[in-house]
Amino acid sequence: MVREFWSGLAVFAEIVEAGSFAKAATRLGLSASALSHAMRTLESKLGIRLLDGTTRSLSPTGAGEQLLLRLRPAMSSVEDMLAELDQARDQPVGRVRVNAHRSAAVHLVLPRLAALAQRCPEVAVELVINDGLVDIVAERFDCGVRHAGGLQGDMISVRISDPMELVFAAAPAYLDVHGVPATPDDLGAHRCISYRHASPGALHRWDFVRDGEMFGRAVPETFITNDVDLMRDAALSGLGIVCLLRLQAVPHLVDGSLTEVLPGWAPVLAANHLYYRSRRQPSAAFRAFLEVMRA
């Protein structure tokens, strides 16, 4: 009967879409060896080879391509049917996978999840922090959160924050030894804490604003990291001057462990947007998540 092939066919389609056993295993939450076994079983039952390549790089055979041509519309139809059933639930149920850069995850997404948990206790959220560029469709995320200008193309986007103010700051002990810069030009004589972007790996340029005009300045890169929380901690330990989101710096500015420098010179980052691919029927769980993110 066809029923005995269903699970294997779903695994086959996932492997082809992911491009490797390892990536498909990550998406499905299974081991690569389990998927390899499932494929061997399916091919044995069918009596025909469906995949060519290695465990790291795969492509469908001619027969596999023909199978996919029929399989994909059928699976899409089943997904649509399940989505329709999902809309009929009294309470949303399911998991929402979110990919966000760290600042957005900490200051925007996480604070709103308590409201979601109260309204929809059966909705689970998986929040993955990634400061680089991510293909949310290929990686099977329901949505991503990035600053405007860093959004993936062909997506629906919803603004979930105002523009984000930055601030330059340093520990008082550092300023006691090195002095307080009066203008960006003074930073050449200071130690500066810099950020390296996860992708494409470039160092973040220090920008400044004066009279509505933005300009950049090269600064000494005496400590470099790819984590904004570590940047803050480095500044707190007296390693140098840092550029942080004001939201991130406020508790330390209030308690005096950091001191703002170059007031009025810091630029403002673009607003954060939640973005997701267009779907005819997003799940009830995702719609509930989106509603609290809009708040």
Side-chain angles (χ1 to χ4, degrees):
M1 293 181 63
V2 175
R3 186 177 303 170
E4 66 182 290
F5 297 103
W6 285 353
S7 62
L9 290 172
V11 166
F12 166 61
E14 189 70 39
I15 291 170
V16 173
E17 183 176 338
S20 72
F21 282 109
K23 289 182 179 179
T26 299
R27 291 182 180 185
L28 295 173
L30 300 170
S31 67
S33 60
L35 297 194
S36 179
H37 175 74
M39 276 306 306
R40 288 197 301 269
T41 300
L42 177 63
E43 290 176 329
S44 177
K45 288 180 179 179
L46 292 174
I48 191 167
R49 190 168 181 79
L50 299 175
L51 290 173
D52 278 331
T54 67
T55 55
R56 292 191 176 186
S57 179
L58 299 166
S59 61
T61 63
E65 287 281 11
Q66 291 301 312
L67 177 59
L68 282 170
L69 286 175
R70 297 292 187 90
L71 186 59
R72 281 171 172 152
M75 293 182 70
S76 179
S77 178
V78 171
E79 288 175 357
D80 288 345
M81 179 193 67
L82 293 175
E84 290 175 8
L85 290 174
D86 184 59
Q87 309 305 314
R89 296 181 188 273
D90 292 332
Q91 282 287 331
V93 175
R95 177 177 297 184
V96 179
R97 297 191 72 230
V98 185
N99 188 291
H101 64 90
R102 180 176 294 278
S103 296
V106 172
H107 298 291
L108 298 176
V109 179
L110 187 60
R112 302 177 190 183
L113 293 184
L116 177 65
Q118 186 173 13
R119 297 179 199 175
C120 307
E122 295 187 75
V123 173
V125 175
E126 181 179 352
L127 178 56
V128 175
I129 294 176
N130 190 316
D131 289 331
L133 301 177
V134 175
D135 185 338
I136 63 169
V137 176
E139 298 298 327
R140 291 298 181 90
F141 287 99
D142 294 289
C143 63
V145 180
R146 294 293 186 276
H147 292 289
L151 306 180
Q152 198 174 329
D154 301 323
M155 294 279 166
I156 297 173
S157 68
V158 177
R159 179 169 149 167
I160 61 170
S161 81
D162 293 327
M164 310 290 280
E165 185 181 354
L166 295 173
V167 61
F168 299 108
Y174 170 86
L175 297 174
D176 288 344
V177 174
H178 298 274
V180 179
T183 73
D185 291 334
D186 296 337
L187 292 176
H190 280 269
R191 301 179 63 84
C192 295
I193 298 165
S194 297
Y195 176 79
R196 188 178 294 281
H197 293 279
S199 54
L203 286 173
H204 179 75
R205 188 180 76 160
W206 283 46
D207 288 323
F208 305 89
V209 173
R210 180 58 76 188
D211 299 327
E213 295 292 328
M214 184 177 292
F215 60 95
R217 281 284 185 276
V219 299
E221 296 150 355
T222 51
F223 181 77
I224 301 167
T225 181
N226 64 345
D227 186 276
V228 292
D229 285 348
L230 192 57
M231 290 172 62
R232 174 204 59 205
D233 293 344
L236 288 168
S237 70
L239 279 184
I241 297 174
V242 70
C243 181
L244 298 172
L245 282 176
R246 185 171 289 277
L247 272 174
Q248 186 186 16
V250 158
H252 308 289
L253 296 174
V254 170
D255 68 18
S257 54
L258 287 179
T259 298
E260 182 174 1
V261 299
L262 300 175
W265 290 92
V268 175
L269 291 180
N272 283 277
H273 285 68
L274 183 149
Y275 64 99
Y276 58 99
R277 62 176 174 172
S278 176
R279 299 188 237 183
R280 283 172 290 179
Q281 289 185 317
S283 70
F286 179 72
R287 287 190 290 108
F289 173 80
L290 184 58
E291 184 178 342
V292 300
M293 289 300 111
R294 291 179 190 269

